[in-house]
Amino acid sequence: MAENEARRTHKHVRIQDCADRHKAAETCGRQDMRPFVDKLRLLICSSCAGARDLAAEALVVQTALTQAGLEERVEFATHACFSSCAEPTALALQSAGCASYVFSGINVVADAGDIAKTCQTYLDSPKGWIEDARPCGRLRMCLRTRIPAL
């Protein structure tokens, strides 16, 4: 058991080391590693119910992404519906050839910092597959589905 834990820790450290250096190499020196995500699309539902100021939400999210240094790597857009109407507001993360995520129960303005942290975690994860969601803050509790890459 201790040996398995050491392997997981070693892999996590290797992944983080590569992410910290912004390496885009295919394997980071190991065959089982996958490329990190270069860009992602962040979509926020524009039709979720409730009193919302979409322009203010967009500004707060863009500001959080800029403060995190992600404005070049995250494409932000709105989308009409994610069928998560029971728990508004919904958002999604997606990138070609990577895992996709749908979150709901989001307060876009209050959660803007956690949205940026989640985007960073996604970008730092091999093929967008987030193994440790603790850096995502409150959003880790709002995850509704994670879909593996095609």
Side-chain angles (χ1 to χ4, degrees), residues 15 42 46 50 73-74:
I15 290 169
L42 165 65
S46 61
R73 297 180 70 197
V74 177

Side-chain angles (χ1 to χ4, degrees), residues 49-110:
R52 296 175 60 201
D53 181 344
L54 297 177
E57 288 179 359
L59 179 62
V60 170
V61 170
Q62 289 287 16
T63 299
L65 293 171
T66 299
Q67 289 174 345
L70 300 175
E71 66 277 6
E72 296 295 320
R73 297 180 70 197
V74 177
E75 174 193 338
F76 173 73
T78 58
H79 184 72
C81 187
F82 292 104
S83 295
S84 292
C85 304
E87 295 181 282
T89 297
L91 69 84
L93 300 177
Q94 60 183 180
S95 184
C98 296
S100 295
Y101 293 81
V102 176
F103 301 84
S104 65
I106 306 297
N107 178 325
V108 178
V109 173

Side-chain angles (χ1 to χ4, degrees), residues 5 15-16 21 32 36 40 42 53 58 80 89 102 104-105 110 112 115-116 118 124 126 132 146 149:
E5 182 64 7
I15 290 169
Q16 191 60 48
R21 293 185 189 104
D32 62 337
F36 294 98
L40 74 90
L42 165 65
D53 181 344
T89 297
V102 176
S104 65
I115 291 169
T118 301
D124 289 345
D132 180 1
R146 174 172 67 171

